[in-house]
Amino acid sequence: KDFGALGDGQHDDGPALQAAIRAATSQNQPLLLPAGTYRTNTQLNVPFGNPLRLVGVGWDQSKIVAGATMRAVINVPCLSGPGVAPEGGAATPRPLEGLYIGDVSLDANSTANYSVFAPGLARSRFERVAVDHALRVGISAGYGWCNYFEKCRFGRNYIGLHTYSAGNAIEVTDSIFEANYGVGVYVAGGEQAMISGNTLESNGIAIVVTDMMGVTISGNYFEANPDPSIYHTGSPVGVTL
């Protein structure tokens, strides 16, 4: 609110939030989001460089809501270029590293395609984040490694969480996926992932795994998802329900 955001759910707080994101990342400081409903009519862009650390006071209190048509509530950039893939590989994305989002709600409000769009992401963490009403995907995380999604809630998106394009060391734990009408969790085209201790209820399909080197699915609770709750192709999957 130091940058003029009101958090009343009516005023367009997008410019103030964007200014706060720029200031926090340029100074390598966390951005604290007080209780309130912060409407944004424009996509919030994270500068490439120092990572954003966005910290609220609880997903039921600190809320960012899309107020107009946009690609993503929060857009996380990546750079293209050689040197990220194994030696001799083609040009690949250079992921943003160290993103942290915790204790906030990111509501696409059925007007944004994504709550978070991150085509390249590494060593990043989402904790206690509510992600709702995305037209395509709640959180979309592409090329990268060591990304963690813990104690989050994904509700009424087309796809709750989608990781793809050589994503490696992905952990999805102790989260809730409810009423995502396409897929709850979709991991594709990567290496290792663990999906453990989650509640998956009333999704179109609970979990989809395609073309991964290995995925462990264990200790999850499934209810009211159409059969099959887990769909996988081209992937060795270890499953313990």
Side-chain angles (χ1 to χ4, degrees):
K1 293 186 177 181
D2 292 344
F3 291 83
L6 299 182
D8 62 0
Q10 302 297 320
H11 179 77
D12 179 13
D13 287 324
L17 290 171
Q18 187 64 71
I21 288 171
R22 289 197 189 99
T25 54
S26 66
Q27 299 169 28
N28 199 21
Q29 296 292 323
L31 174 55
L32 306 179
L33 191 70
T37 299
Y38 300 85
R39 177 189 174 106
T40 179
N41 292 340
T42 53
Q43 175 176 279
L44 303 175
N45 296 300
V46 178
F48 194 90
N50 291 332
L52 173 66
R53 287 173 287 164
L54 176 62
V55 182
V57 295
W59 72 35
D60 59 336
Q61 299 183 64
S62 298
K63 305 177 182 180
I64 300 177
V65 179
T69 301
M70 63 188 73
R71 179 171 67 173
V73 179
I74 296 179
N75 180 62
V76 181
C78 68
L79 300 181
S80 295
V84 178
E87 293 183 10
T92 56
R94 177 184 170 193
L96 183 137
E97 297 190 35
L99 177 72
Y100 177 86
I101 299 179
D103 293 295
V104 301
S105 169
L106 302 173
D107 190 345
N109 199 27
S110 299
T111 59
N113 288 330
Y114 307 88
S115 287
V116 178
F117 181 72
L121 193 64
R123 298 188 178 95
S124 295
R125 184 177 294 273
F126 297 80
E127 292 181 322
R128 298 175 300 278
V129 180
V131 180
D132 302 297
H133 304 112
L135 295 174
R136 293 188 180 178
V137 183
I139 297 178
S140 176
Y143 180 87
W145 50 87
C146 299
N147 294 317
Y148 305 93
F149 307 87
E150 182 179 4
K151 297 180 180 177
C152 296
R153 187 195 73 202
F154 298 80
R156 300 189 182 281
N157 309 285
Y158 181 68
I159 298 173
L161 171 65
H162 185 201
T163 69
Y164 61 96
S165 186
N168 185 26
I170 306 300
E171 293 189 12
V172 184
T173 58
D174 301 321
S175 294
I176 298 170
F177 295 84
E178 184 175 12
N180 298 286
Y181 52 94
V183 180
V185 185
Y186 187 175
V187 292
E191 296 185 29
Q192 303 294 325
M194 180 178 72
I195 303 170
S196 178
N198 304 284
T199 296
L200 301 108
E201 182 175 352
S202 301
N203 301 284
I205 301 175
I207 298 172
V208 172
V209 178
T210 60
D211 299 321
M212 295 286 292
M213 290 182 64
V215 177
T216 299
I217 301 174
S218 65
N220 299 285
Y221 173 77
F222 297 88
E223 182 176 338
N225 305 286
D227 290 332
S229 290
I230 302 172
Y231 175 81
H232 64 92
T233 60
S235 305
V237 179
V239 179
T240 305
L241 301 181

